[in-house]
Amino acid sequence: MKVGFVGLGIMGKPMSRNLIKAGHELAVYDIVESAVDEIAAAGASREESARDVAQRSEITITMLPDGPEVEAAVTGPRGVLDGAAAGSIVVDMSSISPLVAQRVAAACAAKGVEFLDAPVSGGEPKAIDGTLAIMAGGKQEVFDKVLPLFSCMGSSATLTGPVGAGNVTKLANQIMVAVNIAGVSEALALATKAGLDPEVVFNAVKGGLAGSTVLNAKAPMMIGRNFKPGFRIRLHQKDLRNALLAAESMKLSLPFTSLVQQVLMALMNNGRGDLDHSAIATFIEDMGKVEIKRP
Ligand code: NAD
């Protein structure tokens, strides 16, 4: 297929490489020229704007930081909608507010362009392996057309509802991960302060009800004092902010999400925004004058 890709960052680069590997004809753009050079060297055609990408593509994918960048790249000047033909498809795979996804979808519909929101879970390693979990919102027939591309980038793709549903699902995922990491942080701080070896405690509980993929991934990072991202605190703060905005629009109270979002903001103000989200533990450590590590 003729595919466009806008946004060649940590995630967009490996995802676009997997589309090239699968034999799709790719046109790419990013505001950072060196990123475009890198993917052009892997076989993509180098474009000067999101509009130029869309002009050459049946399906244009965006993978950008947040809603404002998606709106700029799709509906802004020299954006995707300046170049996209009626009947073509825009697939936004960034994690953004579901409300913004619906607004972008409406702008697309006004030009006869179809839209899916399809954020992902799995991070850079799964983007490289092509094993992301993709959660999509939109029409079934549009999803079916994009499915061959999803299968080059992910090991699962699920349509969870109309436009916006993909991002609601992703936000639900992000709430579960963030609140779980906060709980793991407090639990290991307690164990360490009580004089126990946090690794022994981790091994003792991981097979029981407290066991989780989050625990298995993040407890060893806390105990090993390795906060290299992974998934950055500032991106997780953005996701929880988007969850709270969506919740507010439905008059839904999410007290624990709100608390962890405030912790993430405090960590950003302490210069830790680019650490892995497992560094939520350092907030609890600072308050309790304890460091989660083996004796
Ligand atoms: P990133 O910051 O590494 O990449 C974003 C890219 O978008 C950058 O290369 C930037 O130059 C480009 N960009 C920004 N504005 C642009 C514009 N107007 N036009 C063209 N290009 C523009 O971010 P990332 O880690 O690749 O994440 C992308 C999205 O995926 C985010 O929404 C993030 O929350 C989500 N996500 C990230 C991970 C992860 O582990 N990194 C995991 C799952 C989901």
Side-chain angles (χ1 to χ4, degrees), residues 3-8 26-32 36 45-64 68-85 88-92 104 113:
V3 184
F5 209 107
V6 178
L8 305 168
L26 218 68
V28 297
Y29 173 69
D30 191 293
I31 48 175
V32 175
V36 182
S45 113
R46 190 179 204 299
E47 305 300 330
E48 298 299 326
S49 67
R51 177 195 59 200
D52 298 351
V53 166
Q55 252 164 8
R56 299 180 62 126
S57 308
E58 300 156 72
I59 298 178
T60 302
I61 297 172
T62 50
M63 192 54 169
L64 300 160
E69 292 84 2
V70 173
E71 289 201 291
V74 178
T75 61
R78 294 181 14 113
V80 171
L81 285 181
D82 279 349
S88 65
I89 302 173
V90 174
V91 184
D92 178 43
V104 174
V113 173

Side-chain angles (χ1 to χ4, degrees), residues 227-248:
F227 299 121
K228 183 174 170 289
F231 189 69
R232 289 178 212 279
I233 281 183
R234 68 176 71 260
L235 284 179
H236 215 146
Q237 190 273 342
K238 175 242 348 174
D239 289 339
L240 296 194
R241 190 193 66 224
N242 286 338
L244 292 169
L245 285 171
E248 190 187 6

Side-chain angles (χ1 to χ4, degrees), residues 4 49 97 104 106 205-206 218 238-239 253:
S49 67
S97 157
V104 174
V205 304
K206 70 183 183 193
K218 301 302 169 182
K238 175 242 348 174
D239 289 339
S253 156

Side-chain angles (χ1 to χ4, degrees), residues 98-163:
L99 308 172
V100 176
Q102 286 163 352
R103 203 155 63 215
V104 174
C108 289
K111 297 216 164 176
V113 173
E114 298 288 354
F115 180 87
L116 287 182
D117 65 319
V120 306
S121 174
E124 190 186 19
K126 290 192 175 223
I128 293 170
D129 295 349
T131 56
L132 292 165
I134 299 168
M135 38 213 107
K139 295 181 199 153
Q140 181 74 53
E141 65 268 25
V142 179
F143 177 80
D144 292 342
K145 281 189 195 158
V146 181
L147 199 51
L149 302 186
F150 287 154
S151 39
C152 306
M153 298 182 279
S155 54
S156 73
T158 312
L159 184 68
T160 61
V163 168

